């Protein structure tokens, strides 16, 4: 029954055919059980493990690598190779792919935990009326139409419509659905609101919420999947995980690279068709296989096998740095996503505010000698910690607040007319509440006012332990005044009273809604001398004016406090006693904004990131908070920038699009609205970060490009998120965005480094094939270079220091290519030099080396006909390991110099020297030591087909390698000047990562 909130109690009972005094009969229960589903959230269909594994290999580059590994293994067998040599290359490739697949499977398995944890919010038992008798049954056995009784502490077992109130009031904590910390008062009246949200349905008890005050009966209207909790589950199931911008760019790069690789491989094979019949191969088929093997080596050279591992390592390093900022990353790719975030949809309560009610204003009557003189006091401190001061209206701190009569009696009333507790939690290191947040705020106020009669009061209190300090003043008043009787808060009176005995004097303290308290007051307490005077119409009007100012303009939650001297010996209170009260004062409280949020907001605006505050709170309160935190600083007025969810939904399509581009605040939202907002923004190609802490936020957190849960939030929200804020602080998000941008810049640098290195390897093999000289590098040597000598420096590049102006740039566009335009040209030039230098080292050994054969160049080009003609040298010279060792070492050393080029995209090494990143220097040293190890340790040198080198050969290697520094310095100079910019436009169409629509709408 979807519209039960709009129906009367009798209509709802008639719909289910149930008698409220007897409940359902056994026949009706079985009938309803057949008509409606069980009261459990259905098990979601899990993705089979084998499907998760195969999904990780659904990538073009991965498929090419698998094919290259299989072909390499088959060719080794055809050539008669056995043992370690035949299996080494394919085994290493498959091990890398298996490791990457394992990371992917673990990540996807974690994402499904959110749905499991949703079940923790379902109630276990329920008190049910059936066949005229109450019994306690498992909550899973409930059916629509059941009459259920709930009381304080009960978890609501299903969605239910209130039918009978069994106490003065019923209050329910709906934070898991609405995100708002204040409990909601429930009633029996039907709701006439159109497009009613959860907060408007005051007669509905929602599954999973908790009763915090009162007792009532209700009829079940929805079970299992047909509850508010069920709709959250369905929304989460409908949400597919979006690929991160970097993942999309790498996928595009993979597709582009695959096409290039295929083209070059086919080209190399076709260019050498004329050599298939060369006698050295022993036949046309063997010649074809030989050049096919070269094409496979080319594929291995072109694919950066170490790229996934290096990306993962760099992101993992980023997560460690972010953890120190209190941002705990659950999903590695989200580290990079933060860098291109364009919109942050932030929850208000607990993220922008402290989620701790705090008294900020006090209003008392000072004197009426020269007409009504009202005094206002400010209160500092925004948490439950009893730390703060009282200030007068000029901003001067009061040294002894308790010496002022009104403030003293406000402290008494706050401590005594109160049913909450304030305590210190040593494990968490903070003060915690038990009970209503408004009552705890009054307890904290009593602590800030202090005690009268002690000149050393402030310093004396500070000497107490935090456990003792939590409620020291409150306990003092509770010991001075013995509570005799209590009149609980009720909806019709809107107030609470407590009768206390103090030194054989009976005093009643009352607190409640200002309109209720002020109307019952006949006297007023003056703050200047403690006198009590009659209240007149002028004074009453002045108090009403101050109350309207507090509640209206300043959107404070107001309570009025009063007292009454009672007859001696009175032991009970009645509603008739709550009249002829003496007004003490008015307190205004709010959930205060965090102090650091304003600066964080300014940082967002400077960085081109828009913040949309999303809250279940009412519009006026939320607008007040937004004014305080600076979210509206850039706006002249709020029209077109502040909407309720209902107002936004009523807008026509085109106006909704316009509203999304200007929106700064969305209020009165429920879970479906948050998810809708994320989808709408993503449809406008925005990269959306969404914050949340409740179960209600889980669908939106899962749908957002990056979901950010609060550390104090629910397990469901944390499981659905990509990142958790340990300190629940919006400012931490901004710090994490800055870190994300820095990580992306470093990621971009090492991707470019690896690409330019791989271009060099491709050029090397391609040029060698075109020139018709022997194979320059063996596939196993290429694999060593790609994985070890490329991987270590690339990872170290991730430690480059962030730019000082990282948060002054606008967010990068998700369509921005990782390597494009002028940069692609730069790295093409560098890659070409790397490849040509490698080939040059190979040719040098044959033609010029003192230890080489000193062959004419024509002999080298005709090496394959050596067995068929007479030569002055043995043909075995072409099997010598020296030339490929020189070539491989040139490739390694030139890439080490190229790694230094990547300390910065455009800054010279003279400005950013190598020692600015000691990790990179260390990785280069380690890489060279590993390379020397395989050259000079016999088992390894045999495995990699290399040999030891002489000093003369090392000198030539350095001469061939160092110019890569000079070439890149020249290119960087052009980048820093207008010439580089013109090149950027000239080469724009040759993007290494072709631009296309990122989202399949």
């Amino acid at each position: 029954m979807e519209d039960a909130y709009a129906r009367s109690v009798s209509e709802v009972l008639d719909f289910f055919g149930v008698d409220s005094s007897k409940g359902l009969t056994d026949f009706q229960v079985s009938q309803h059980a057949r008509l409606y589903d069980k009261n459990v959230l259905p098990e979601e269909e899990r993705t089979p493990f084998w499907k998760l594994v195969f999904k990780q290999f659904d990538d073009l580059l991965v498929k090419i690598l698998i094919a290259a590994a299989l072909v390499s293994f088959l060719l080794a067998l055809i050539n008669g190779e056995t043992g370690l040599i035949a299996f080494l290359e394919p085994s290493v490739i498959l091990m890398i792919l298996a490791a990457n697949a394992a990371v992917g499977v673990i990540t996807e398995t974690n994402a499904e935990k959110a749905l499991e944890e949703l079940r923790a919010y379902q109630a276990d038992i329920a008190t049910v009326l059936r066949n005229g008798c109450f019994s306690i049954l498992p909550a899973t056995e409930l059916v629509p139409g059941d009459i259920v009784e709930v009381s304080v502490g009960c978890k609501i077992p299903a969605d239910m419509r209130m039918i009978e109130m069994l106490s003065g009031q019923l209050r329910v904590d709906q934070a898991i659905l609405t995100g708002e910390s204040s409990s909601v008062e429930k009633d029996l009246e039907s709701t006439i609101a159109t497009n009613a949200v959860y907060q408007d349905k005051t007669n509905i008890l929602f599954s999973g919420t908790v009763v915090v005050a009162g007792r009532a009966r209700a009829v079940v209207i929805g079970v299992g999947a047909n509850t508010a909790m069920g709709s959250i589950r369905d929304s989460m199931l409908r949400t597919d995980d979006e690929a991160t911008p970097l993942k999309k760019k790498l996928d595009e790069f993979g597709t582009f690279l695959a096409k290039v690789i295929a083209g070059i491989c086919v080209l190399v094979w076709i260019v050498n068709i004329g050599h298939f019949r060369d006698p050295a191969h022993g036949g046309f088929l063997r010649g074809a296989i030989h050049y096919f093997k070269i094409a496979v080596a080319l594929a291995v050279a072109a694919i950066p096998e170490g790229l996934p591992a290096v990306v993962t390592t760099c992101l993992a390093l980023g997560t460690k740095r972010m953890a120190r900022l209190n941002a705990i990353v659950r999903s590695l790719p989200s580290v990079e996503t933060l860098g291109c975030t364009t919109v942050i949809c932030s929850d208000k309560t607990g993220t922008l505010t402290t989620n701790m009610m705090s008294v900020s204003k006090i209003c008392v009557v000072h004197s009426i000698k020269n007409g009504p003189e009202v005094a206002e006091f400010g209160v500092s401190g925004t948490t439950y910690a009893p730390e703060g001061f009282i200030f007068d209206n000029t901003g001067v701190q009061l040294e002894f607040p308790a010496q002022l009569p009104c403030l003293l009696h406000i402290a008494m009333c706050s401590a005594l007319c109160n049913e909450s507790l304030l305590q210190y939690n040593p494990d968490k290191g903070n003060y915690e509440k038990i009970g209503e947040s408004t009552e705890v705020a009054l307890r904290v106020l009593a602590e800030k006012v202090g005690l009268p009669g002690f000149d050393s009061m402030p310093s004396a209190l500070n000497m107490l332990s935090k456990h003792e300090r939590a409620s020291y003043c409150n306990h003092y008043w509770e010991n001075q005044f013995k509570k005799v009787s209590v009149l609980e808060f009720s909806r019709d009176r809107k107030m609470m009273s407590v009768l206390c005995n103090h030194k054989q004097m009976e005093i009643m303290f009352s607190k409640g809604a200002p309109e209720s308290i002020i109307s019952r007051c006949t006297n007023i307490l003056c703050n200047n001398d403690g006198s009590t005077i009659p209240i007149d119409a002028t004074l009453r009007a002045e108090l009403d004016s101050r109350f309207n100012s507090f509640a209206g303009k300043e959107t404070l939650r107001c309570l009025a406090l009063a007292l009454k001297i009672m007859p001696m010996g009175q032991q009970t209170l009645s509603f008739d006693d709550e009249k002829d009260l003496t007004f003490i004062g008015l307190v205004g409280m709010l959930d205060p904004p965090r102090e650091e949020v304003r600066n964080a907001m300014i940082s967002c605006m400077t960085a081109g990131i828009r913040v949309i505050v999303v809250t279940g709170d009412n519009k006026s309160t939320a607008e007040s908070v937004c004014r305080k935190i600076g979210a509206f600083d850039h706006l002249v007025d709020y029209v077109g920038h502040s909407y309720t969810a209902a107002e936004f939904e009523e807008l026509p399509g085109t106006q909704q699009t316009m509203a999304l581009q200007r929106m700064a605040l969305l209020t009165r939202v429920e879970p479906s609205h948050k998810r809708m907002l994320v989808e709408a923004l993503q449809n406008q190609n925005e990269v959306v970060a969404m914050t949340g802490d409740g179960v209600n936020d889980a669908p939106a957190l899962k749908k957002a490009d990056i979901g950010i849960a609060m550390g104090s939030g629910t397990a469901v929200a944390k499981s659905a998120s990509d990142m958790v804020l340990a300190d629940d602080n919006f400012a931490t998000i901004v710090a994490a965005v800055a870190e994300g941008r820095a990580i992306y810049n470093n990621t971009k640098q090492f991707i470019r480094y690896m690409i330019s290195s791989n271009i060099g390897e491709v050029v090397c093999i391609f040029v060698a094939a075109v020139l018709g000289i022997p194979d320059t590098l063996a596939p196993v040597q290429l694999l060593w270079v790609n994985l070890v000598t490329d991987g270590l420096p690339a990872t170290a590049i991730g430690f480059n220091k962030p730019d000082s102006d990282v948060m002054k740039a606008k967010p990068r566009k998700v369509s921005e290519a990782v390597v494009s335009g002028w940069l692609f040209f730069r790295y093409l030039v560098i890659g070409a030099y790397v490849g040509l230098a490698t080939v040059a080292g190979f040719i040098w050994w044959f033609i010029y080396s003192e230890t080489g054969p000193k062959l004419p160049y024509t002999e080298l080009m005709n090496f394959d006909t050596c067995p068929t003609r007479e030569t002055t040298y043995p043909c075995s010279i072409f099997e010598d390991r020296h030339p490929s060792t020189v070539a491989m070492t040139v490739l390694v050393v030139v890439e080490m110099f190229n790694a230094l080029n990547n300390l910065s995209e455009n800054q010279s090494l003279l400005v950013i020297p190598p020692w600015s990143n000691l990790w990179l220097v260390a990785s280069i040293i380690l890489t060279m030591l590993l390379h020397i190890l395989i050259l000079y340790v016999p088992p390894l040198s045999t495995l990699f087909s290399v040999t030891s080198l002489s000093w003369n050969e090392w000198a030539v290697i350095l001469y061939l390698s160092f110019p890569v520094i000079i070439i890149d310095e020249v290119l960087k100079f052009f980048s820093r000047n207008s010439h580089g910019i013109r090149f950027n436009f000239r080469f724009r169409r040759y993007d290494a990562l072709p631009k296309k629509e990122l989202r399949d709408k």
Side-chain angles (χ1 to χ4, degrees), residues 42-93:
E43 289 275 350
E44 61 280 357
E45 192 175 325
R46 284 179 166 275
T47 307
F49 181 77
W50 65 270
K51 276 192 177 180
L52 284 177
V53 173
F54 275 100
K55 184 181 176 184
Q56 310 311 315
F57 295 95
D58 187 19
D59 180 88
L60 198 54
L61 272 184
V62 170
K63 291 172 183 174
I64 291 173
L65 266 181
I66 293 173
L70 293 174
V71 169
S72 176
F73 177 64
L74 291 172
L75 291 177
L77 292 180
I78 291 169
N79 289 341
E81 296 175 13
T82 55
L84 189 60
I85 297 295
F87 287 97
L88 179 66
E89 184 182 326
S91 298
V92 172
I93 292 174

Side-chain angles (χ1 to χ4, degrees), residues 600-611 629-634 807 810:
M601 282 282 178
I602 294 169
S603 295
C604 283
M605 291 174 191
T606 306
I609 300 171
R610 191 155 57 97
V611 179
I629 63 174
F632 287 167
D633 280 3
H634 60 297
M807 282 300 281
K810 301 299 179 188

Side-chain angles (χ1 to χ4, degrees), residues 844-855 877 953:
W844 170 84
W845 188 87
F846 278 106
I847 299 176
Y848 299 108
S849 175
E850 294 297 327
T851 57
K854 295 191 175 181
L855 299 177
I877 196 70
E953 288 166 333

